Amino acid sequence: MGFLNNLRNALKEDLPESWIPLEEETQLEQIKKDSFEKPAVIFKHSTSCGISNMAKFQLESGWDLGAQDLDFYYLDLWQHRPISNKIIDFFDIAHQSPQLMIIKNGTVVFDTSHHGVHLSGLKSALANI
C-alpha cells in the first residue's frame, strides 16, 4: 500500500497551481460560503479509474483558469472518501466518479460526470451561470 500512497501523493503534487486540494470536511462550509462571491468547482477524481484519469488529464492539459475566475477544488476519492460521502448530503447530489460540479450561491448549479468532464464543458457552464 505504501507504493500506491506514494504514487497518489506524487500525482497530487502535479496539480495546476490554482487547484485547491479538498482534504477536510470543514472546507465544504467555506466552499458554500465563498460561492456567493465567485463560483466554486469540485472535481471528484478516482485515481484508479481510467475514465477519471483521462478527465483529469484533459482538465490539466488546457488549464488556463486562475483563482480570480473560480475556486477549483480537487478531491482524491481514494484518500478522502468520507468527504465525497459528505458532499452527497451537503449539496444534495448523487455520487459519480469522475464528477465535476459548479457551486454558486451555495447550491450546485451544474453537474456532470464521466465523459462529460472536460475543460470546454466547464468553461461553457461557467459562461451560462
Side-chain angles (χ1 to χ4, degrees):
M1 195 68 159
F3 171 76
L4 288 177
N5 284 335
N6 289 339
L7 179 60
R8 288 184 188 114
N9 286 335
L11 291 172
K12 185 168 75 172
E13 293 171 8
D14 291 338
L15 298 175
E17 187 175 305
S18 61
W19 289 20
I20 304 163
L22 181 49
E23 299 174 333
E24 302 289 333
E25 287 184 23
T26 57
Q27 287 176 276
L28 297 177
E29 283 289 347
Q30 192 64 46
I31 290 169
K32 190 173 199 175
K33 179 182 172 192
D34 291 348
S35 75
F36 286 88
E37 300 297 321
K38 65 180 170 179
V41 176
I42 297 175
F43 172 53
K44 291 169 55 176
H45 172 56
S46 174
T47 56
S48 66
C49 171
I51 294 171
S52 194
N53 283 313
M54 288 302 297
K56 180 179 176 277
F57 175 78
Q58 198 285 329
L59 287 169
E60 289 174 319
S61 65
W63 192 257
D64 60 354
L65 298 170
Q68 72 279 3
D69 301 313
L70 53 84
D71 290 327
F72 190 92
Y73 291 87
Y74 168 83
L75 176 62
D76 179 331
L77 292 173
W78 278 97
Q79 289 190 345
H80 304 289
R81 175 60 81 178
I83 297 172
S84 178
N85 293 338
K86 180 80 172 177
I87 288 170
I88 294 167
D89 296 326
F90 193 79
F91 289 112
D92 191 28
I93 190 161
H95 167 74
Q96 298 288 324
S97 173
Q99 185 173 26
L100 188 72
M101 60 192 82
I102 301 174
I103 297 98
K104 184 161 175 72
N105 298 327
T107 185
V108 175
V109 296
F110 175 80
D111 172 40
T112 191
S113 65
H114 295 84
H115 296 292
V117 176
H118 48 79
L119 188 57
S120 62
L122 173 60
K123 288 181 177 181
S124 178
L126 288 167
N128 290 315
I129 60 167

